[in-house]
Each structure stands twice: as C-alpha cells, then as structure tokens.
Amino acid sequence: MYVMTIDQRGSRTDIDRVPELLDGLRRLSRGRFERSVGDEIQGVLDMPADVVEVAIHALRSGRWYVGIGIGPVNEPQPVSPREGSGAAFVAARQAVDRAKAAASHVPVAVVSGGVRRGTAAAGDAEDGVRACANAEAVLRLVGRLIRERTEAQWRVVDALRARNGRDPGRHGQQKQVAQELGISEQSVSRAIIRSGWQEEWAARPAVEMLLATAHGLILDASGPEAPNRGER
C-alpha cells in the first residue's frame, strides 16, 4: 500500500489550508484523505497513478511537504486513515520529515516501509529502497517543472487538462483553448512549451512504474509476517 502524509508549510504564520487541500483531493477522487493532527493530512492509496496525482496537486502551490511511505499495512484496514497502522505508516512519517529537511528543494520524499526483521530478504529490501529513491528523484524533477510555472501557463495547462488534454498537439485543441481564454494560438503553444506540460506527462508513467516496482519489491521482502500489530 501507499500511505501519504502531507503537512502544511509555515503553518504557524499562515491560515489553516487543510480544508482547501482536502476539498481539492475530493474533486480529484483520489483515495480518502483526512486531517490526522494539526495542519497535516493522511491517506492510503492502492494505485501509483493516484499517488502521483495527489503529490503533484499538493506540490503545485508550494505550501505542502509531501511524504510517501510504501509497504504493508495492518489488516483489516479501518475506515479512517487516522486509525491505520503498519510499516507503510511509519515510512510515511519518516518521508514527510525528510521532505521537511529538503524544503529548500522540492519537498517530497519516498521511503520504504520494508520490514527490518524476521524473514525479509536483504537483496529485495535493498532493491526496494533503491526503487523508492529513484521514484523520489523523478518525482522531484516533475515537481520542479510544475513549481516553476507561471499563473498564465497554469491557466493554459488547466484548460487543457479540463479537456482531458494529455496530448496538447491533438487537432483543434489549442485553438479551442485559445478561444476559451481569449488569447492567441501562438500564446497557447508557447505556454505549453515553457510550462513543461509534455515533459510532465511523459515522466508521470516513469514515476508510476518506479513506485509500483518499489511496492512489489518491498512486499516481497516483507514476507507473510510483515504486518506488525500496533506498529504506527
């Protein structure tokens, strides 16, 4: 499983932005997230594509630290993410703390929740850690792309996304967006190029693949005795 812990940056000098983020995630329909404590939210996800979508959504504003923990969770899973436990929850906590330490860069981290005791295979565990590091590296590159976008570029990107426009070169789409925003097609084309829109969507599957690879390796290394009751 993938556990995400997302904490607000500069919460002592800012308003509480948790309701706004939760509302945005509900509109994305990506898993179930809840406030866990203070200005922090937590959620459990099954699919790596959803993890990437949530991470990018949170990183966009520059107001959040994003921690991703990968590994087993204790079964049965409770209805509320706040009551969940297991190695992935521990890893998510470590990940958000590491994201805070990297705040001068893109504040996202991916940490392995592989079991460090019992029958874990050292080779698989180490491979899982490496896969997490690789996923984190590519996700930070994507995060840098989106954080450098201007408001004008975001208007174009959002208009394309609203049209399910992963392919901005599709016939007629740029013209439609230009008409919608009241700008020229040339302006739309420049915004697409300068925003890194195509590079983002080319990189997303790579992050998803690395997250899925890490997940498989970590669970294989953890073995059937992975869940540890009471571990959080």
Side-chain angles (χ1 to χ4, degrees):
M1 301 294 288
Y2 306 92
V3 177
M4 298 188 71
T5 299
I6 305 175
D7 196 12
Q8 185 175 337
R9 304 178 69 180
S11 57
R12 293 183 180 179
T13 57
D14 197 2
I15 63 172
D16 180 5
R17 298 187 181 276
V18 168
E20 177 186 356
L21 180 59
L22 289 174
D23 181 62
L25 295 181
R26 278 191 291 269
R27 286 186 277 107
L28 286 175
S29 299
R30 295 295 191 266
R32 181 175 181 183
F33 283 80
E34 294 180 350
R35 185 192 295 267
S36 52
V37 60
D39 298 310
E40 178 184 280
I41 71 169
Q42 193 165 61
V44 182
L45 298 168
D46 296 315
M47 303 300 295
D50 292 343
V51 175
V52 175
E53 188 70 53
V54 169
I56 289 175
H57 180 80
L59 290 171
R60 170 175 176 170
S61 68
R63 296 190 176 109
W64 301 94
Y65 302 105
V66 179
I68 302 167
I70 305 177
V73 299
N74 293 333
E75 300 289 350
Q77 292 184 47
V79 174
S80 171
R82 291 177 306 213
E83 299 173 1
S85 60
F89 283 90
V90 176
R93 169 58 52 199
Q94 295 171 344
V96 78
D97 287 343
R98 201 165 83 193
K100 292 175 183 179
S104 60
H105 305 290
V106 179
V108 60
V110 183
V111 171
S112 167
V115 174
R116 297 170 178 81
R117 56 180 174 76
T119 60
D124 283 347
E126 291 173 1
D127 289 344
V129 170
R130 281 193 291 270
C132 285
N134 291 335
E136 176 182 301
V138 181
L139 189 53
R140 283 190 176 185
L141 288 174
V142 175
R144 182 168 295 279
L145 271 178
I146 65 172
R147 283 176 47 151
E148 291 178 351
R149 285 177 187 159
T150 65
E151 287 299 318
Q153 290 167 2
W154 271 116
R155 283 194 291 273
V156 172
V157 166
D158 288 338
L160 286 166
R161 186 71 188 275
R163 296 176 177 275
N164 196 26
R166 297 188 182 189
D167 178 13
R170 196 170 65 196
H171 179 69
Q173 186 164 254
Q174 292 187 24
K175 181 177 181 179
Q176 293 169 348
V177 168
Q179 291 174 343
E180 177 184 332
L181 298 178
I183 58 179
S184 68
E185 289 185 59
Q186 290 81 2
S187 295
V188 170
S189 180
R190 283 195 298 269
I192 290 170
I193 293 170
R194 294 174 181 173
S195 69
W197 170 253
Q198 291 170 308
E199 289 81 0
E200 174 196 334
W201 282 97
R204 280 185 181 229
V207 185
E208 295 166 16
M209 179 189 67
L210 289 165
L211 289 172
T213 298
H215 186 269
L217 289 167
I218 291 164
L219 292 190
D220 286 347
S222 299
E225 298 180 2
N228 175 26
R229 297 297 174 187
E231 184 179 25
R232 179 63 190 238

